[in-house]
């Protein structure tokens, strides 16, 4: 993909916190950069990592899950300044290289830190001869496993520090050159006991943000490339691969739209009955372990949450349903978090708070796809959904808009005694029964949004959306892709292959 971002880029500073939050509507992959304590011998230590388990929590707050083994985590404390640089599709190789190297051993990842070190230059030339370091041309021919073994003795090619948004003044931290947006933040807290024993729950407050003019629409407040020549944002798919968020829907083959009326009939944790018995039972795959569960949320897709418990139904039996735009995995064992904004009427469902009382709260998490935008809007606009706006509703006007937003329910039966009868929204390509284990508030005074932590207990995914070889949640070519929210009533679409920006292959 050609990218003109490096030719005299122009930047806009976003002053409003709501505009700054819109940069994270699609849950983009970011570089997180930090400057560690100064040393009398080496001076300040700069480090950078890649982070994708990150969501906006409202106000000026972002929350993330960070592995405690990451060197960056040892450099963060309450009050530490950090910078988030949003990665573009042209930064894919750079992101993979950054993620393959740790700064823990005292080696800088930045080539500019070795510019005057002749001993290091000599050592690097020897390393090149031993094939432990590859040129950019060589990298294109290397296997992903070989790329991960590179040691980058002289720093990572193409990794350069720059001032945030091309600011004229010196900042407390630095951005990564060639990225799409720079967000200067300050760590609010780094908590150990929220997620699990291996991950920190990190909250940061945004202080100021800069975005390239080519990626910001001042009228709609949408963060997306304005033209096909500019890079899109990325979603991490796992197995060293990325999806690309495009604003225009990719072309799909209508004949390849998945049929979702029946889940597999077998002696397994989940099974389902439906109204279309002709669908092959092999159309659905039951995932077996936590790592596979987490892969379903690696791309941070827009999700639909359905409360199926008896206490969650109204007198007509309709289930409460919520659109989750801010959801991300928090580890590789099936845990995740999502944000319920302070404007949501569904906060009361989670208001029991604490560990034990929240642990009983169960729900079904489902992933809608392209073609279900009307359903998402219906759920978003209503306090609850059910038969009154479902497929059997005779009072809904027969208009294209009404048809697009019409909701069909798909029964899901489980042999697990912990689970009641489940109903999911038909058309979704993954269904995950989940259970809440913790609820926290980001800031009761200024931003009473809720961050909810839950575990995936079972998972079913449509076979056209699961790569068995690499354990990736990715649509096959020509099939409808899952959605992102870009803000307002606009959607983004995750393409599994690089595109020209319009959603079409390069």
């Amino acid at each position: 993909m050609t990218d003109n971002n490096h030719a005299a880029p122009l930047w806009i500073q976003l002053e409003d916190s709501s505009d700054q939050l819109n940069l994270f509507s699609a849950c983009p992959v970011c570089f997180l950069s930090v400057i560690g304590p100064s040393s009398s011998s080496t001076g300040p230590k700069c480090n950078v990592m890649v982070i994708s388990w990150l969501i906006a929590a409202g106000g000026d707050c972002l929350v993330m899950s960070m592995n405690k083994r990451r060197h960056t985590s040892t450099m963060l404390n309450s009050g530490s300044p950090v910078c988030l640089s949003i990665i573009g599709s042209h930064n894919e190789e750079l992101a993979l290289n950054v993620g393959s190297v740790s700064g823990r051993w005292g080696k800088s990842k930045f080539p500019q830190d070795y510019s005057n070190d002749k001993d290091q230059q000599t050592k690097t030339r020897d390393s090149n001869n031993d094939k432990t370091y590859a040129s950019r041309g060589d990298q294109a021919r290397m296997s992903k496993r070989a790329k991960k073994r590179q040691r980058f003795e002289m720093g990572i090619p193409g990794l350069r520090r720059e001032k945030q948004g091309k600011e004229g003044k010196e900042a407390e931290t630095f951005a990564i050159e060639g990225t799409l947006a720079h967000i200067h933040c300050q760590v609010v807290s780094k908590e150990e006991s929220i997620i699990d024993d291996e991950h920190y729950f990190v909250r940061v407050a945004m202080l100021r943000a800069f975005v390239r003019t080519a990626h910001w629409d001042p009228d709609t407040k949408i963060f997306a490339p304005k033209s096909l020549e500019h890079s899109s944002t990325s979603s991490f798919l796992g197995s060293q691969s990325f999806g690309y968020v495009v604003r225009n829907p990719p072309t799909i083959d209508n004949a390849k739209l998945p049929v979702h009326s029946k889940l597999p009939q077998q002696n397994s944790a989940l099974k389902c009955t439906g109204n279309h018995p002709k669908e092959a039972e092999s159309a659905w795959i039951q995932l077996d372990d936590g790592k596979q569960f987490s892969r379903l949320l690696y791309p941070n897709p827009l999700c639909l949450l359905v409360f199926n418990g008896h206490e969650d139904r109204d007198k007509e039996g309709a289930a409460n349903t919520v659109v989750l735009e801010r959801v991300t995995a928090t580890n590789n064992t099936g845990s995740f978090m999502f944000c319920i904004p302070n404007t949501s009427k569904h906060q009361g469902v989670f208001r029991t708070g604490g560990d034990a009382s929240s642990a009983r709260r169960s729900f079904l998490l489902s992933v809608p796809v392209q073609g279900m935008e009307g359903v998402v809007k219906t759920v978003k606009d209503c306090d609850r959904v059910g038969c009154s706006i479902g497929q059997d509703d005779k009072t809904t006007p027969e208009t294209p808009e009404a048809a697009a937003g019409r909701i069909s329910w798909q029964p899901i039966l489980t042999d697990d005694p912990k689970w009641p009868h489940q109903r999911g929204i038909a058309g979704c390509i993954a269904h995950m029964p989940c259970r809440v284990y913790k609820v926290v508030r980001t800031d009761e005074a200024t931003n009473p949004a809720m961050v909810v932590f839950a575990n995936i207990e079972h998972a079913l995914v449509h076979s056209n959306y699961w790569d068995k070889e690499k354990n990736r949640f990715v649509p096959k070519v020509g099939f409808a892709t899952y959605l992102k929210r870009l803000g307002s009533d606009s959607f983004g679409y995750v393409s599994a292959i690089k595109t020209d920006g319009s959603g079409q292959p390069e």
Side-chain angles (χ1 to χ4, degrees):
M1 173 181 287
T2 60
D3 188 89
N4 296 332
N5 293 329
H6 303 288
L10 298 176
W11 297 83
I12 298 174
Q13 181 169 359
L14 303 181
E15 304 284 355
D16 189 89
S17 62
S18 61
D19 290 346
Q20 296 171 3
L21 281 177
N22 281 348
L23 296 175
F24 296 92
S25 292
C27 303
V29 182
C30 298
F31 289 121
L32 187 151
S33 51
V34 61
I35 300 177
S38 296
S39 166
S40 57
S41 58
T42 63
K45 175 66 184 297
C46 299
N47 196 47
V48 62
M49 65 173 287
V50 178
I51 191 158
S52 59
W53 295 349
L54 166 75
I55 56 174
D60 61 359
C61 182
L62 306 173
V63 294
M64 65 188 77
S65 172
M66 183 178 296
N67 195 307
K68 293 180 180 179
R69 292 177 294 177
R70 295 289 186 182
H71 178 55
T72 299
S73 71
T74 67
M75 303 171 71
L76 298 183
N77 296 291
S78 179
S80 297
V82 298
C83 182
L84 292 167
S85 301
I86 296 180
I87 292 172
S89 52
H90 64 289
N91 299 129
E92 175 185 341
E93 182 181 305
L94 184 62
L96 293 176
N97 289 340
V98 168
S100 70
V101 179
S102 174
R104 186 178 299 276
W105 317 116
K107 296 289 186 182
S108 174
K109 299 181 183 182
F110 297 92
Q112 64 205 83
D113 292 338
Y114 301 100
S115 58
N116 296 318
D117 191 332
K118 293 183 179 180
D119 291 338
Q120 282 290 347
Q121 292 173 2
T122 301
K123 187 175 182 179
T124 299
R125 284 195 296 271
D126 294 340
S127 298
N128 289 343
N129 292 334
D130 293 335
K131 302 300 183 183
T132 58
Y133 177 89
S135 66
R136 295 181 69 85
D138 292 335
Q139 285 198 9
R141 297 184 292 272
M142 293 174 65
S143 69
K144 290 180 177 178
R145 184 178 297 274
K147 287 181 181 180
K148 292 186 73 172
R149 289 198 297 262
Q150 295 183 96
R151 291 187 293 187
F152 298 113
E153 296 286 354
M154 283 284 285
I156 298 171
L159 182 64
R160 290 181 290 271
R161 299 186 293 265
E162 72 174 357
K163 296 175 182 178
Q164 300 168 46
K166 297 292 185 180
E167 285 186 295
K169 61 181 180 180
E170 292 294 331
E172 298 173 281
T173 184
F174 59 92
I176 300 302
E177 185 178 273
T179 48
L180 307 182
H182 303 156
I183 302 90
H184 181 204
C185 305
Q186 185 176 55
V187 175
V188 175
S189 63
K190 184 178 75 173
E191 300 174 68
E192 295 195 39
S193 59
I194 300 292
I195 297 175
D196 58 29
D197 293 336
E198 297 181 356
H199 294 82
Y200 289 116
F201 175 56
V202 181
R203 312 184 210 201
V204 302
M206 296 181 291
L207 302 180
R208 58 183 181 273
F210 302 86
V211 61
R212 294 182 184 273
T213 55
H215 288 78
W216 182 253
D217 187 328
D219 296 322
T220 62
K221 310 294 185 181
I222 288 177
F223 174 52
K226 291 182 178 178
S227 66
L228 304 185
E229 62 182 357
H230 297 291
S231 296
S232 60
T233 57
S234 299
S235 289
F236 186 58
L237 301 178
S239 300
Q240 294 187 277
S241 60
F242 292 87
Y244 306 95
V245 182
V246 296
R247 189 170 181 178
N248 297 320
T251 299
I252 58 175
D253 183 347
N254 288 334
K256 292 183 177 180
L257 285 172
V259 180
H260 314 285
S261 58
K262 187 177 181 182
L263 302 182
Q265 295 288 326
Q266 54 186 334
N267 294 324
S268 56
L270 291 176
K271 55 187 177 181
C272 173
T273 58
N275 298 321
H276 302 276
K278 292 183 179 180
E279 181 182 11
E281 295 177 0
S282 61
W284 290 87
I285 298 172
Q286 179 170 310
L287 304 184
D288 298 320
D289 62 63
K291 185 174 182 179
Q292 292 178 322
F293 296 168
S294 292
R295 289 293 179 103
L296 294 175
L297 296 182
Y298 266 24
N300 301 335
L302 183 149
C303 296
L304 297 173
L305 182 156
V306 180
F307 297 109
N308 278 294
H310 177 73
E311 71 274 18
D312 299 313
R313 296 178 181 273
D314 62 17
K315 61 183 180 180
E316 296 177 352
N320 284 320
T321 306
V322 188
V323 176
L324 294 185
E325 301 170 2
R326 308 169 186 176
V327 56
T328 186
T330 55
N331 60 24
N332 279 314
T333 58
S335 298
F336 65 100
M337 63 181 173
F338 58 91
C339 180
I340 299 292
N342 57 350
T343 56
S344 173
K345 296 183 179 180
H346 293 92
Q347 274 204 0
V349 177
F350 298 101
R351 200 158 281 151
T352 49
D355 295 337
S357 58
S358 290
R360 64 178 176 81
R361 182 65 62 186
S362 62
F363 59 86
L364 184 72
L365 192 68
S366 302
V367 181
V369 289
Q370 177 184 353
M372 296 181 66
E373 295 91 338
V375 170
V376 173
K377 290 179 180 179
T378 295
V379 176
K380 183 76 174 177
D381 293 340
C382 297
D383 294 336
R384 58 129 179 105
V385 297
C387 295
S388 60
I389 56 173
Q391 61 181 352
D392 298 325
D393 180 16
K394 303 302 183 181
T395 63
T396 303
E398 290 299 328
T399 65
E401 292 78 10
R406 194 177 297 281
I407 294 173
S408 300
W409 292 99
Q410 177 172 337
I412 301 175
L413 304 180
T414 170
D415 291 333
D416 190 336
K418 295 183 300 182
W419 288 93
H421 177 78
Q422 299 286 302
R423 291 197 304 171
I425 293 180
C428 294
I429 44 82
H431 296 286
M432 296 160 273
C434 307
R435 197 172 299 276
V436 173
Y437 69 88
K438 194 179 293 288
V439 178
V440 300
R441 287 192 178 275
T442 53
D443 187 331
E444 187 69 38
T446 61
N447 174 38
M450 284 181 171
V451 180
V452 181
F453 297 84
N455 293 318
I456 300 172
E457 299 198 347
H458 304 288
L460 287 156
V461 59
H462 198 277
S463 59
N464 291 326
Y465 291 81
W466 187 252
D467 180 347
K468 292 183 179 180
E469 180 180 350
K470 296 182 178 180
N471 275 345
R472 294 187 305 174
F473 182 44
V474 56
K476 294 180 180 179
V477 175
F479 284 84
T481 185
Y482 32 76
L483 306 172
K484 295 274 194 175
R485 194 78 174 198
L486 295 183
S488 185
D489 288 326
S490 297
F491 292 90
Y493 303 85
V494 181
S495 174
I497 57 176
K498 286 188 176 181
T499 72
D500 60 8
S502 67
Q504 310 311 317
E506 287 186 304

